């Protein structure tokens, strides 16, 4: 039987019932962590029988968490499933850490490590209330996280490119390494012309994520396998924007290697083009959204062509 599919006598999968069950298993696990920690917080040690019972209860709680996670079918969305899996893994790893801490700590008193580990399990278990409830909400969350990272990268590079600013100005001068006279520490005028086009691509990345996020919020649906799959495709490709922006930004610092900049710019432009193509053919982009898709596609092409022109004679 496929994951999440009803077998003989089993009722069809329902998201609300899944969330109720997951919430209950996380709550029970949190309670078992408290019981386990209290039992080993002061002498005397629990009896062999009590230890066995505590171990069984912890094991059963963790098995229940894992079992409920596996009820969630991939058809509900791979983006949602990954977020639930990560939350489940955090709970399991937290309980493992707590158990290790208890096994390795002296019994005389409640150790700081044990308190931290117990709190870690509580915190991991509480995260269930913050998880997105369907794949549309999961994709919104993923896109918002990527947008935040790209915004930071754009702001950092804009700050570094301020006219006349030394990108390494915050690093203390070192007599042995030399400073300012070394061209490896600053941008030439030709560098700055090339990097302005790269900044155009980075800003297009931010605008692309912002617009796709707004479109998914406004039009995204998780009401059919086709819509859920389209949202996952969008999240998967959009997830490549942030690392591509970072790689381009790193290659923009002096000494500038034009070939490296051009390759990283081309990679980012390719990712952005794919994001826009997938968005355009999905349900999140009705005719009312087509204007910004065309505008951003043009901006990506324009800036990439400028990068090619600036690097043509330098390769």
């Amino acid at each position: 039987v496929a994951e999440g599919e009803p077998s003989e006598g089993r009722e069809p999968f329902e998201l609300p019932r899944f969330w109720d069950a997951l919430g209950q298993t996380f709550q029970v696990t949190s309670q078992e962590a408290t019981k386990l920690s209290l039992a080993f917080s002061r002498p005397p040690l629990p009896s062999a029988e009590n230890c066995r019972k505590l171990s069984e209860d912890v094991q059963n709680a963790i098995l229940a968490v894992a079992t409920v996670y596996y009820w969630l079918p991939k058809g509900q969305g791979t983006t949602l499933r990954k977020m639930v899996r990560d939350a489940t893994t955090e709970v399991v790893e937290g309980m493992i850490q707590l158990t290790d801490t208890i096994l390795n700590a002296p019994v005389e008193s409640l150790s700081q490590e044990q308190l931290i580990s117990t709190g870690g399990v509580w915190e991991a278990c509480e995260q269930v209330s913050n998880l997105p409830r369907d794949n549309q909400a999961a994709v919104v969350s993923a896109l918002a996280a990527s947008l935040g990272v790209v915004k930071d990268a754009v702001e950092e590079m804009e700050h570094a490119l301020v006219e006349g600013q030394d990108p390494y100005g915050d690093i203390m001068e070192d007599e042995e390494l030399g400073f300012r006279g070394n061209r490896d520490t600053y941008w030439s005028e030709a560098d700055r012309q090339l990097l302005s086009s790269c900044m155009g691509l980075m800003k297009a990345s931010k605008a692309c994520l912002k617009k796709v996020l707004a479109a998914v919020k406004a039009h995204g649906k998780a009401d059919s396998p086709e819509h859920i799959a389209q949202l996952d495709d969008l999240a998967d490709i959009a997830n490549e924007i942030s690392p591509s922006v970072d790689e381009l930004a790193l290659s923009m610092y002096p000494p500038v290697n034009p070939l490296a900049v051009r390759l990283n710019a081309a990679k980012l432009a390719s990712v952005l083009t794919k994001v826009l193509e997938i968005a355009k053919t999905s349900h999140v982009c009705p005719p009312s959204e087509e204007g910004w898709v065309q505008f951003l596609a043009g901006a990506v092409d324009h800036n990439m062509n400028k990068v090619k022109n600036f690097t043509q004679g330098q390769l």
Side-chain angles (χ1 to χ4, degrees), residues 51-69:
C51 280
R52 186 185 63 77
K53 179 72 169 64
L54 282 166
S55 299
E56 280 183 5
D57 289 347
V58 166
Q59 186 178 15
N60 288 337
I62 290 298
L63 284 173
V65 165
T67 300
V68 173
Y69 158 66

Side-chain angles (χ1 to χ4, degrees), residues 175-248:
E175 290 180 9
E176 291 182 18
L177 294 176
F179 55 92
R180 286 312 299 162
N182 184 350
R183 191 181 174 283
D184 286 355
T185 64
Y186 66 94
W187 286 297
S188 67
E189 191 52 43
D191 290 340
R192 286 184 178 276
Q193 286 184 329
L194 169 61
L195 300 190
S196 69
S197 302
C198 293
M199 278 305 302
L201 275 177
M202 290 176 70
K203 288 177 180 177
S205 303
K206 184 174 83 168
C208 183
L209 278 168
K210 197 172 179 181
K211 287 293 188 181
V212 171
L213 173 60
V216 172
K217 278 183 178 176
H219 310 292
K221 293 181 179 138
D223 57 355
S224 72
E226 184 185 4
H227 286 163
I228 289 170
Q230 286 177 353
L231 289 172
D232 281 332
D233 287 344
L234 203 47
D236 288 344
I237 186 63
N239 202 36
E240 294 180 29
I241 294 178
S242 173
S244 299
V245 165
D246 286 343
E247 285 176 28
L248 177 58

Side-chain angles (χ1 to χ4, degrees), residues 261-278:
V261 171
R262 179 167 171 165
L263 287 173
N264 285 318
K267 182 183 175 185
L268 176 57
S270 173
V271 169
L272 293 175
T273 300
K274 282 183 195 170
V275 170
L276 293 170
E277 285 173 355
I278 289 173

Side-chain angles (χ1 to χ4, degrees), residues 58-283:
V58 166
Q59 186 178 15
N60 288 337
I62 290 298
L63 284 173
V65 165
T67 300
V68 173
Y69 158 66
Y70 279 112
W71 287 353
L72 182 62
K74 291 176 184 174
Q76 289 293 327
T78 54
T79 310
L80 175 65
R81 204 164 187 270
K82 184 182 182 302
M83 290 182 179
V84 176
R85 184 186 69 206
D86 289 347
T88 303
T89 302
E90 203 173 321
V91 170
V92 174
E93 288 177 346
M95 190 63 93
I96 291 170
Q97 185 181 353
L98 173 59
T99 307
D100 282 342
T101 302
I102 289 170
L103 288 171
N104 296 318
V107 192
E108 286 74 28
S109 62
L110 187 64
S111 70
Q112 185 67 19
E113 290 78 13
Q114 189 175 330
L115 282 170
I116 292 169
S117 295
T118 307
V121 177
W122 292 342
E123 196 174 324
C125 291
E126 286 166 7
Q127 288 307 307
V128 70
S129 60
N130 299 324
L131 287 170
R133 262 28 194 183
D134 62 20
N135 207 47
Q136 187 260 359
V139 171
V140 164
S141 174
L143 291 171
S146 292
L147 176 59
V149 175
V150 169
K151 270 184 179 175
D152 290 345
V154 170
E155 285 172 14
E156 185 179 321
M157 188 51 68
E158 279 181 327
H159 182 67
L161 277 167
V162 170
E163 188 61 38
Q165 182 173 319
D166 179 356
Y168 297 114
D170 58 344
I171 300 173
M172 291 183 68
E173 296 172 354
D174 189 305
E175 290 180 9
E176 291 182 18
L177 294 176
F179 55 92
R180 286 312 299 162
N182 184 350
R183 191 181 174 283
D184 286 355
T185 64
Y186 66 94
W187 286 297
S188 67
E189 191 52 43
D191 290 340
R192 286 184 178 276
Q193 286 184 329
L194 169 61
L195 300 190
S196 69
S197 302
C198 293
M199 278 305 302
L201 275 177
M202 290 176 70
K203 288 177 180 177
S205 303
K206 184 174 83 168
C208 183
L209 278 168
K210 197 172 179 181
K211 287 293 188 181
V212 171
L213 173 60
V216 172
K217 278 183 178 176
H219 310 292
K221 293 181 179 138
D223 57 355
S224 72
E226 184 185 4
H227 286 163
I228 289 170
Q230 286 177 353
L231 289 172
D232 281 332
D233 287 344
L234 203 47
D236 288 344
I237 186 63
N239 202 36
E240 294 180 29
I241 294 178
S242 173
S244 299
V245 165
D246 286 343
E247 285 176 28
L248 177 58
L250 284 172
S251 68
M252 287 164 67
Y253 279 94
V256 174
N257 178 335
L259 176 58
V261 171
R262 179 167 171 165
L263 287 173
N264 285 318
K267 182 183 175 185
L268 176 57
S270 173
V271 169
L272 293 175
T273 300
K274 282 183 195 170
V275 170
L276 293 170
E277 285 173 355
I278 289 173
K280 187 178 180 182
T281 57
S282 77
H283 71 282

